[in-house]
Amino acid sequence: MTIHNRTVKLNSGHTFPLVGYGTFGGNDAATQVYNGTKFALEAGYRHIDTAYLYRTEEAVGKAVRESDVPREEIFVTTKLWQTFHEPEHVRPACERSLKLLGFDYIDLYMMHWPMSWKFRGYEFDQLKVPNENGDIPTTNVPIIDTWRAMEGLVKAGLVKSIGVSNFSIAMLEELLKECEIKPAVNQLEIHPSLPQEEMLEYCNRQNIILTAYSPLANPGYSGVPSMLSDPMVLKIAEKYKKTPVQVLLNWGVSRGYAVIPKSVTPDRIKANLEYFEMDKEDVEAILAIGRRNPYRSCAELYVMLFSTIYNSSPLRDFGPSNNLFNEPL
């Protein structure tokens, strides 16, 4: 078995592994993520993706510290929640993540969503408080104000690189006009049904790397087309004698961005790291799936694995004030 060791150099100068281990989960996520991260590091992963909201930072940090892999060889991403967008809350939020992780620095600190919400405190039960209508009103904190506070984290040595998540091209353009430190990464939903070609082309021009969450398009959830049973994906899997999951993950890496699959099963964690070269015509054949019928799977999920505290559909989970993807009301 050949494992993924492909990396890219971020615009911050740091090395970024293109296959990572995702760590969001359910109520027992901490235990599962601790065990999963330990195995992932043993299997060869060197990129771990977490977030303050996931409540898995402590588990990730413990697994990293207990591993035989030197800390400097492991790239750890975590994220700033939107109740912390006011500049005075950015550093305290980052320091809380550092304390939970047990680290001296974070490799990549990202703005989790572009929306800003009212600050209610740093505790987990204060992160997502809807009003009586089930909506979480947004506040008017300019993105550049939050970003400048994040730039301060880099200058203070708490963070090596900074990035964004779920940003549109227009949002990136506005940020790039005013920022001192460019975002190194934009993390968003990418899979064959949502190939994000325009975004990928734009970020390539700007030297911003993409990370794909939901790289498998959330298979197994009601109402979501499964890419794992798509005839073209199955045909290509048979050609290479690989699983459909391995095909989709290698398809993403072949396009030049990072993928962060999540699993708690050791055999799957290991299999997700398997690398193989795909012919260009096969990459194009899978790309054609999304060109025919683009589909944002996360926005269509009403109940996700982590729906009690995390959902990639801002309208469904956060209310109409947060309709980032212009979903039908």
Side-chain angles (χ1 to χ4, degrees):
M1 171 181 169
T2 301
I3 67 169
H4 270 286
N5 58 9
R6 288 188 62 180
T7 61
V8 294
K9 189 74 72 173
L10 297 178
N11 60 33
S12 59
H14 298 286
T15 300
F16 186 54
L18 288 182
V19 177
Y21 181 65
T23 65
F24 69 87
N27 294 331
D28 58 348
T31 299
Q32 291 189 348
V33 163
Y34 167 71
N35 293 327
T37 301
K38 286 193 72 173
F39 184 83
L41 291 170
E42 291 172 5
Y45 287 78
R46 294 297 179 264
H47 173 184
I48 310 296
D49 182 276
T50 185
Y52 189 70
L53 182 73
Y54 300 169
R55 309 188 191 195
T56 57
E57 289 174 322
E58 189 171 11
V60 165
K62 186 172 186 286
V64 168
R65 294 193 308 274
E66 291 179 359
S67 77
D68 294 328
V69 184
R71 167 68 184 98
E72 61 270 18
E73 294 181 14
I74 305 171
F75 193 102
V76 177
T77 298
T78 193
K79 307 176 187 78
L80 177 80
W81 189 237
Q82 49 258 46
T83 52
F84 308 142
H85 278 206
E86 292 174 316
E88 63 266 30
H89 300 309
V90 171
R91 180 160 180 162
C94 178
E95 289 174 339
R96 288 179 74 88
S97 288
L98 282 166
K99 183 176 181 180
L100 287 168
L101 288 162
F103 295 166
D104 295 325
Y105 67 89
I106 294 165
D107 295 278
L108 174 63
Y109 197 49
M110 310 182 78
M111 199 179 300
H112 204 147
W113 290 92
M115 308 89 70
S116 62
W117 296 345
K118 179 180 178 180
F119 175 75
R120 297 179 182 277
Y122 295 102
E123 301 306 319
F124 289 118
D125 62 359
Q126 298 171 315
L127 302 184
K128 198 178 72 170
V129 182
N131 61 21
E132 63 276 7
N133 298 318
D135 188 31
I136 304 179
T138 57
T139 58
N140 60 352
V141 180
I143 286 173
I144 188 60
D145 289 358
T146 307
W147 189 256
R148 285 178 178 138
M150 293 175 67
E151 290 176 333
L153 301 176
V154 178
K155 296 172 184 178
L158 301 180
V159 171
K160 290 190 173 183
S161 303
I162 48 178
V164 296
S165 184
N166 298 297
F167 268 49
S168 66
I169 290 175
M171 291 173 182
L172 287 171
E173 287 180 333
E174 286 302 310
L175 180 56
L176 290 172
K177 288 177 185 176
E178 300 188 73
C179 68
E180 180 182 348
I181 300 175
K182 289 178 65 171
V185 176
N186 183 20
Q187 183 178 126
L188 69 168
E189 181 183 347
I190 317 176
H191 47 72
S193 286
L194 192 68
Q196 301 275 15
E197 291 182 85
E198 185 180 4
M199 176 66 78
L200 182 57
E201 182 181 350
Y202 175 82
C203 286
N204 283 342
R205 291 199 308 269
Q206 297 295 337
N207 194 21
I208 298 170
I209 299 300
L210 295 183
T211 294
Y213 67 71
S214 300
L216 308 179
N218 291 301
Y221 292 98
S222 176
V224 178
S226 176
M227 288 296 99
L228 302 185
S229 58
D230 182 271
M232 180 55 67
V233 174
L234 293 175
K235 179 180 178 181
I236 293 172
E238 175 61 26
K239 172 182 174 178
Y240 293 102
K241 306 302 180 188
K242 304 295 181 184
T243 68
V245 170
Q246 290 169 330
V247 167
L248 295 190
L249 296 178
N250 278 272
W251 175 77
V253 173
S254 296
R255 299 180 70 215
Y257 54 78
V259 295
I260 46 171
K262 192 276 174 115
S263 177
V264 296
T265 306
D267 287 347
R268 290 180 182 174
I269 293 172
K270 186 176 181 180
N272 288 347
L273 197 60
E274 184 168 351
Y275 171 75
F276 65 95
E277 290 279 354
M278 292 182 68
D279 295 334
K280 289 184 179 179
E281 59 264 30
D282 295 323
V283 174
E284 285 294 316
I286 296 175
L287 187 60
I289 297 171
R291 287 174 175 165
R292 288 192 302 267
N293 183 29
Y295 192 92
R296 186 180 294 278
S297 67
C298 286
E300 296 300 323
L301 296 178
Y302 184 72
V303 178
M304 290 181 64
L305 176 64
F306 209 39
S307 61
T308 54
I309 54 176
Y310 178 80
N311 192 321
S312 291
S313 170
L315 170 64
R316 297 284 179 90
D317 203 46
F318 307 146
S321 296
N322 303 271
N323 194 5
L324 185 65
F325 303 144
N326 296 315
E327 302 170 58
L329 298 173

